[in-house]
Amino acid sequence: MLRCRLSNKRMIEYLDKTMSASARKRFDLHLASCQACRNKLAEQEAWLAQRTALLADQKKNGLPDNDLPARIMDAVGKATMSEQAEPRLKPSSRRVWLAPVGVVAALALFLAIWQVLPLLLKPLVGPLQEAAQDAFSPPMPAYSILMPSSIVEKTYGVDGYGSWYLFLPEKGDQIALNAQKAESEICYLAVLSLSEHARAAVSQNDLNTAVILIPASPDSVVELSRRAENILQTCSTPFQIEIIKSAAIQGHLNSMDPVLYGMMFNAPPADSDWILIWIGK
Amino acid sequence: MNVNHDVNDVKESHLVKQAQNGDEDAFSLLVERYATRLYGVCFHLLGNREDAEDCVQESFIKIYRSLTGYRFRSSFYTWAYRISVNVCLDYRRKNNRGKTVSLDEGPETSSGQLFYQVADELPLPDQLLERSELTELVREELSLLPAYLRDIVILRDLEGLSYAELAGLLKISEGTVKSRLFRGRKQLMERIRYREQNRSGGRQTDREITTEGSEGEK
């Protein structure tokens, strides 16, 4: 069957009845002869029926009382009162798997380490940078590095979650299977970016964890994580590296921390695996 | 629904700044402005009044604690909405009726590889999927959608924001909003159909989720 060229956007416009009459007529004509498009449309309409049920349920069972804002303010008051009376909340128990790292990285130690991290990386990074420049001219970046200023504003910053760095590639980006130079550079830049900005952010924010997230092709993900590990092992900052299958990345990020979830608004590349590096407690 | 425009915007940013400086009255006004909408989001994700109330309260506690970290780069509503959704997702995981396997307890091997799999709970095979069950299933699958699709489905189809508002909030084009809306609905219905078809297959623990992530926006 020929692949249908009607866009998803046009489908939505058809469902919304926001097409011009002539366009709608053409669409109708097409639908009459295209089973695939009829199926797509039926699926959307099935959702719309389900949505109606959800909205009806909300209307019937889910409208809040008028004094909801007052109860919320009460709850906020109580929570902040008890916080003042009690020690600081512990970090989420959902990060139990980070315990071995967390134990090592007591906050004081952590902050001290951040102070020296750039110094520790400097001797490593300098030659690497020169080598990278010598070996090949830098390709057009296949990634973007979100700077701390744009990340921290999206994070909670307090209440046990801390703030984060995230090395987040653009949608559709992936490190090519055989482009080992690019892979090395990505690792190098990720670590470099972290070291460049860590100190400033630590002093300005309640930073307690750094995250680097790198996409890699399934065939090279193990090798790439080994390289990242090599880079990180030259400094004494506690870190943990994980490899996550692409299919699980979204759920994994959702499960780990709301902060990360908020940043995964761009679609992760569907066919890459991920290297997730946690640095700090 | 006006979420990020003109006069309201000015007033809102002023309110937020006041609240950031510790003005509780200003925070209270923000609560009044957004309580019902965030409650609606929580209800859609959780499906009952008590849970929605717990979560909207927890959301505002988090918002209060995190307020100084908000830097006005996104609209306050987007920021608050995301906190709320995450509180609900957390709540679902913690109170998942004892069915869902925690994603944080994946196996660890000497090579350091951890494969987390999305847990999937299914009703008993001989039960007919009643309407209320179906609604719960829809809520659950909605909460499991990739964030970039889920947010648009919730904000557009359930919260009624316009395409222009969504484009402004999410800093993407209206065409992209529509395209993602289509894909979000499609993926949601595919997940629901999958669940319905596999009801007789027992508990499923290794489900592949298609994200369509590499597909270009159309």
Side-chain angles (χ1 to χ4, degrees):
Chain A
M1 190 193 297
L2 282 174
R3 184 179 162 84
C4 183
R5 300 176 72 85
L6 282 177
S7 71
N8 296 342
K9 172 173 163 281
R10 296 296 279 167
M11 282 273 181
I12 290 290
E13 286 164 356
Y14 181 83
L15 284 159
D16 286 348
K17 298 187 170 62
T18 52
M19 276 178 170
S20 69
S22 58
R24 191 170 180 84
K25 204 170 177 179
R26 283 198 302 277
F27 204 108
D28 279 331
L29 274 174
H30 172 75
L31 281 177
S33 64
C34 180
Q35 182 67 45
C37 277
R38 285 203 299 276
N39 291 346
K40 282 185 186 177
L41 212 54
E43 195 168 48
Q44 297 281 309
E45 282 165 346
W47 158 249
L48 292 176
Q50 196 52 57
R51 177 187 73 159
T52 304
L54 285 177
L55 291 174
D57 187 41
Q58 183 191 30
K59 204 170 176 185
K60 189 178 165 195
N61 302 313
L63 292 181
D65 304 331
N66 289 334
D67 58 351
L68 176 68
R71 288 202 301 281
I72 288 172
M73 286 306 289
D74 274 356
V76 171
K78 279 177 191 160
T80 48
M81 285 267 288
S82 64
E83 236 172 40
Q84 285 161 10
E86 288 167 17
R88 192 89 182 115
L89 290 173
K90 286 193 297 184
S92 164
S93 60
R94 287 178 291 114
R95 272 194 237 129
V96 169
W97 56 276
L98 275 178
V101 181
V103 170
V104 178
L107 184 59
L109 177 61
F110 178 75
L111 287 172
I113 287 167
W114 275 127
Q115 296 297 316
V116 298
L117 175 62
L119 297 176
L120 287 167
L121 282 175
K122 209 170 178 179
L124 170 80
V125 155
L128 258 179
Q129 194 166 21
E130 284 161 20
Q133 282 168 351
D134 288 349
F136 59 101
S137 35
M140 289 297 287
Y143 44 78
S144 63
I145 301 173
L146 296 188
M147 289 300 129
S149 57
S150 67
I151 291 177
V152 172
E153 64 105 358
K154 291 179 183 171
T155 68
Y156 291 13
V158 287
D159 90 359
Y161 287 114
S163 303
W164 311 75
Y165 284 97
L166 185 66
F167 180 81
L168 184 65
E170 299 270 42
K171 176 175 177 293
D173 290 347
Q174 183 176 316
I175 300 167
L177 176 59
N178 294 316
Q180 296 192 346
K181 285 178 182 173
E183 287 181 355
S184 300
E185 196 198 32
I186 284 251
C187 267
Y188 154 72
L189 279 172
V191 176
L192 185 64
S193 162
L194 202 59
S195 65
E196 272 177 3
H197 299 283
R199 284 208 297 183
V202 165
S203 63
Q204 287 162 20
N205 303 284
D206 183 22
L207 188 74
N208 60 11
T209 307
V211 177
I212 311 178
L213 189 57
I214 306 171
S217 58
D219 299 72
S220 55
V221 70
V222 174
E223 171 63 15
L224 188 52
S225 74
R226 190 185 63 75
R227 288 183 205 172
E229 199 166 348
N230 284 342
I231 293 177
L232 288 165
Q233 267 172 354
T234 60
C235 71
S236 54
T237 310
F239 69 93
Q240 177 172 338
I241 292 188
E242 282 180 61
I243 299 174
I244 301 168
K245 295 306 250 185
S246 184
I249 185 74
Q250 195 70 49
H252 186 73
L253 290 176
N254 285 348
S255 79
M256 287 192 299
D257 200 283
V259 173
L260 281 180
Y261 150 83
M263 288 182 236
M264 290 305 292
F265 213 72
N266 288 324
D271 51 351
S272 42
D273 289 343
W274 296 77
I275 299 168
L276 183 69
I277 305 172
W278 295 86
I279 300 180
K281 65 179 181 180
Chain B
M1 204 179 293
N2 193 338
V3 287
N4 65 337
H5 299 302
D6 310 334
V7 180
N8 274 358
D9 227 15
V10 176
K11 282 182 185 167
E12 179 179 278
S13 63
H14 186 61
L15 270 181
V16 174
K17 275 179 193 158
Q18 284 181 312
Q20 284 178 328
N21 290 329
D23 183 340
E24 298 229 341
D25 289 340
F27 185 75
S28 174
L29 286 172
L30 287 171
V31 170
E32 276 185 32
R33 184 175 287 191
Y34 292 115
T36 305
R37 281 164 67 182
L38 292 182
Y39 175 92
V41 170
C42 295
F43 185 86
H44 283 310
L45 285 171
L46 300 166
N48 77 71
R49 192 186 287 264
E50 292 74 23
D51 292 350
E53 170 118 9
D54 282 353
C55 282
V56 78
Q57 288 186 4
E58 179 64 22
S59 302
F60 276 104
I61 290 170
K62 280 198 191 310
I63 289 166
Y64 184 84
R65 287 172 175 164
S66 317
L67 208 52
T68 50
Y70 171 64
R71 304 281 173 89
F72 298 91
R73 299 248 174 108
S74 58
S75 83
F76 182 76
Y77 179 65
T78 316
W79 183 75
Y81 159 84
R82 285 183 181 158
I83 289 178
S84 246
V85 167
N86 292 320
V87 167
C88 291
L89 297 182
D90 257 4
Y91 192 90
R92 283 199 80 103
R93 277 189 293 274
K94 287 175 189 161
N95 303 279
N96 54 11
R97 290 90 182 166
K99 293 178 195 169
T100 306
V101 175
S102 166
L103 287 161
D104 291 345
E105 292 165 8
E108 191 167 358
T109 68
S110 55
S111 68
Q113 286 190 304
L114 293 171
F115 297 106
Y116 291 90
Q117 294 166 336
V118 176
D120 188 353
E121 56 273 12
L122 302 169
L124 294 173
D126 55 346
Q127 282 178 337
L128 279 176
L129 208 56
E130 290 172 2
R131 187 181 177 83
S132 61
E133 286 177 285
L134 180 61
T135 309
E136 171 53 23
L137 193 153
V138 172
R139 289 198 165 98
E140 192 179 323
E141 289 301 335
L142 185 58
S143 73
L144 290 171
L145 270 187
Y148 75 107
L149 298 178
R150 175 181 57 219
D151 290 345
I152 286 177
V153 172
I154 290 178
L155 291 172
R156 169 65 195 160
D157 279 348
L158 299 174
E159 293 299 297
L161 268 65
S162 71
Y163 294 119
E165 284 170 333
L166 276 168
L169 282 176
L170 305 174
K171 296 184 172 53
I172 51 180
S173 71
E174 285 188 38
T176 304
V177 172
K178 288 175 185 175
S179 171
R180 288 188 185 175
L181 178 66
F182 181 92
R183 289 162 59 195
R185 290 167 168 181
K186 178 172 185 285
Q187 203 174 118
L188 183 58
M189 293 314 285
E190 281 170 354
R191 285 164 180 261
I192 291 166
R193 201 165 52 240
Y194 175 93
R195 288 279 296 272
E196 287 185 306
Q197 283 169 356
N198 286 278
R199 276 172 55 230
S200 58
R203 189 186 176 93
Q204 188 92 8
T205 56
D206 188 11
R207 179 172 51 141
E208 192 76 13
I209 293 175
T210 310
T211 64
E212 295 184 54
S214 59
E215 189 178 299
E217 306 286 358
K218 290 175 188 171

